[in-house]
Amino acid sequence: MKIRVLGAGFAGVRAALDLDRLLGGRGAEISVINRDRYHELITEVYRPAAGRDVKVLAVPLEDIFAGTSVEVVQGTVTDIRLRERQVVLDRERVLKFDRLVVALGSEPEYFAIPGLRENSLPLNSLNSAENIRRHIDAMLARAAGQQDPERRRALTTVVIAGAGLTGVELAGELADQRPALARRHGLQPEEIRIIAVEAAPDILPGFDQASIDAATNALVRKGVSLILGSPLQAVEPGAVVLADGNRVEARTIIWSGGVRANRLIEKCFTTRTRGRAVVNSYLQSVDEPSVYVVGDAALAINPRTGQPMPPTAQHAVQQGRLAAYNIWAELKGRPLRGYRARTAGTLATVGTDAGLARIGPVTLFGRFPVIVKDLNTWRYILSLGGPRLLLKVLWRHGRLRWARA
Ligand code: NAD
């Protein structure tokens, strides 16, 4: 029985660990296939994008799966042949499967806005965070030697387009890193302009008014300019064009305007709503019941509301867990369990000293949510590999810091 898990993000790693716990070493061969050899905590990447040192951003898959029966296969999935029950890696390597968990995540949605893909930087991975950090550094270094005020202004302007949680977290963090960035490049902190552009009349559309107000105040207090109710209409090299015709010259343009499922999903599955695979209540693909689709790639429906679940880490983990359970149940001849979405709450930061926690009807704002968010990351690492993995992660970070110093 070959069980393959495609993708080692939040959903895939959880599915593989649970499959190992339920079936590992008992006639099932479990493998997890991923492009890189590490599991990225993409919930944290806005921090290094702004130049902040973060304790844990990626965990090697070999550490997560040490002592389990899970085989880690490195490769990029280029095709899924449902009828033949095959997965193709890097266009040449064919792997067979009996059960498949597809957890291939999401990518930026560019909504066919002219010039957007070519002229903006996305924030959706560790590499993309590193690109943003390097790009901002390079622009500020050029600004320091630039005498022409208009050019200097464009080089020191960062536009963050899309003020959902990704855009707000990045804007807050970048605003707090401004003094350090300015010092490094011999600029004045106020010269570095951060502009968040949002299509909706407020940031964080869909959130309660208390969260919106608190996050807006925190951003404004940190010196972030907000342009609200102004969809980005086009992006040119070095400038964004808004729906009202206004242009903002900026040499750093970051796109945080939304995500869609990994493009491969559309090629292989029946999809709806931003390329996400249609699944039944057991999270099986409607095209092939031996294939489960979970996380950002799946259009999992909340049975209580009938609405699609948002693409977030906590729901990805729950879905990965359910897919593993249902594969176990199938093989044992037990009834499958239906998907029941549970939302523990929302935790987001607005810089290093403020954050928001929405738990049920209650919204907390201030330093406390920042602490809880950090603790939550440690709790997550513990859930992957217990204290052994946590110590390994901390030890590695300590060594890296020491090596850099
Ligand atoms: P999103 O879709 O939640 O937000 C995108 C924002 O961009 C929206 O506010 C939208 O109005 C705006 N937008 C879209 N088109 C635009 C345009 N042309 N011009 C200007 N603005 C435009 O995307 P996201 O923030 O990347 O979040 C993706 C998912 O990840 C969501 O489900 C979110 O809840 C989750 N997330 C959670 C956290 C957290 O829990 N801390 C952090 C980041 C993301």
Side-chain angles (χ1 to χ4, degrees):
M1 169 64 56
K2 289 189 191 315
I3 309 175
R4 313 261 185 209
V5 178
L6 306 185
F10 287 96
V13 162
R14 188 70 262 161
L17 283 171
D18 280 20
L19 282 165
D20 176 68
R21 182 171 52 76
L22 294 164
L23 291 163
R26 275 159 276 160
E29 269 177 45
I30 304 161
S31 51
V32 60
I33 296 157
N34 201 47
R35 194 175 35 210
D36 304 307
R37 295 205 71 85
Y38 47 85
H39 168 54
E40 289 189 13
L41 302 191
I42 56 165
T43 46
E44 295 294 307
V45 295
Y46 63 98
R47 288 167 160 169
R52 177 136 162 239
D53 184 31
V54 179
K55 281 205 176 55
V56 52
L57 284 169
V59 187
L61 294 174
E62 64 184 66
D63 288 350
I64 295 176
F65 295 111
T68 71
S69 67
V70 176
E71 183 199 4
V72 176
V73 179
Q74 193 176 3
T76 300
V77 181
T78 49
D79 200 6
I80 302 168
R81 299 175 182 153
L82 293 180
R83 210 163 313 134
E84 294 93 331
R85 293 201 176 180
Q86 291 174 343
V87 172
V88 184
L89 302 191
D90 302 306
R91 299 186 201 288
E92 52 180 32
R93 193 169 162 202
V94 177
L95 302 178
K96 291 192 76 62
F97 67 82
D98 296 298
R99 292 292 178 280
L100 189 67
V101 179
V102 179
L104 288 171
S106 55
E107 54 186 77
E109 169 65 284
Y110 291 105
F111 300 112
I113 295 173
L116 178 57
R117 183 194 291 268
E118 301 79 6
N119 300 309
S120 69
L121 299 166
L123 175 60
N124 61 340
S125 65
L126 216 50
N127 275 339
S128 67
E130 188 53 26
N131 281 343
I132 290 175
R133 189 190 65 73
R134 281 213 208 105
H135 181 88
I136 292 176
D137 251 347
M139 292 306 112
L140 297 183
R142 277 169 60 182
Q146 180 57 256
Q147 302 307 320
D148 178 79
E150 263 177 41
R151 288 203 184 135
R152 189 171 167 117
R153 196 172 156 87
L155 285 163
T156 51
T157 301
V158 178
V159 164
I160 298 174
L165 281 173
T166 303
V168 167
E169 287 197 311
L170 177 63
E173 198 69 34
L174 201 52
D176 281 352
Q177 296 306 315
R178 205 157 32 178
L181 286 168
R183 217 176 306 122
R184 184 157 356 123
H185 295 287
L187 301 165
Q188 293 303 315
E190 7 0 297
E191 272 190 277
I192 303 174
R193 294 196 308 155
I194 303 164
I195 304 173
V197 176
E198 168 54 49
D202 273 315
I203 63 167
L204 300 179
F207 273 69
D208 58 299
Q209 200 57 44
S211 301
I212 293 172
D213 292 346
T216 303
N217 290 340
L219 286 178
V220 170
R221 182 166 44 81
K222 288 172 190 289
V224 175
S225 310
L226 301 177
I227 302 182
L228 303 173
S230 285
L232 205 75
Q233 206 169 44
V235 183
E236 297 164 3
V240 297
V241 182
L242 306 179
D244 58 12
N246 276 326
R247 270 169 69 90
V248 181
E249 307 279 336
R251 298 305 297 269
T252 303
I253 300 162
I254 297 166
W255 175 241
S256 49
V259 297
R260 50 161 292 125
N262 185 315
R263 293 255 165 206
L264 185 64
I265 300 299
E266 206 167 56
K267 185 174 156 201
C268 309
F269 295 95
T270 301
T271 58
R272 262 203 338 256
T273 320
R274 299 203 190 171
R276 293 161 86 187
V278 181
V279 291
N280 65 17
S281 63
Y282 306 120
L283 304 184
Q284 294 165 312
S285 154
V286 293
D287 303 298
E288 171 54 55
S290 63
V291 176
Y292 291 76
V293 191
V294 290
D296 292 5
L299 191 71
I301 301 291
N302 183 341
R304 259 178 297 126
T305 61
Q307 293 301 311
M309 292 306 293
T312 67
Q314 62 175 316
H315 300 118
V317 169
Q318 287 169 24
Q319 291 166 21
R321 184 170 293 241
L322 181 65
Y325 177 88
N326 279 346
I327 290 176
W328 172 84
E330 259 190 83
L331 302 184
K332 296 286 167 193
R334 304 265 182 94
L336 306 196
R337 273 189 199 151
Y339 176 55
R340 285 203 338 257
R342 277 174 290 110
T343 301
T346 301
L347 273 171
T349 62
V350 189
T352 52
D353 60 351
L356 72 91
R358 200 167 59 146
I359 303 151
V362 180
T363 299
L364 298 172
F365 204 82
R367 201 173 275 274
F368 180 66
V370 182
I371 297 166
V372 179
K373 190 170 178 199
D374 288 340
L375 289 176
N376 207 34
T377 303
W378 299 122
R379 193 183 60 96
Y380 176 66
I381 302 288
L382 279 172
S383 79
L384 296 182
R388 188 185 50 83
L389 183 63
L390 184 63
L391 286 175
K392 234 181 193 169
V393 164
L394 288 172
W395 166 248
R396 189 170 301 114
H397 175 75
R399 255 194 356 206
L400 275 179
R401 270 182 92 147
W402 184 76
R404 262 190 249 134

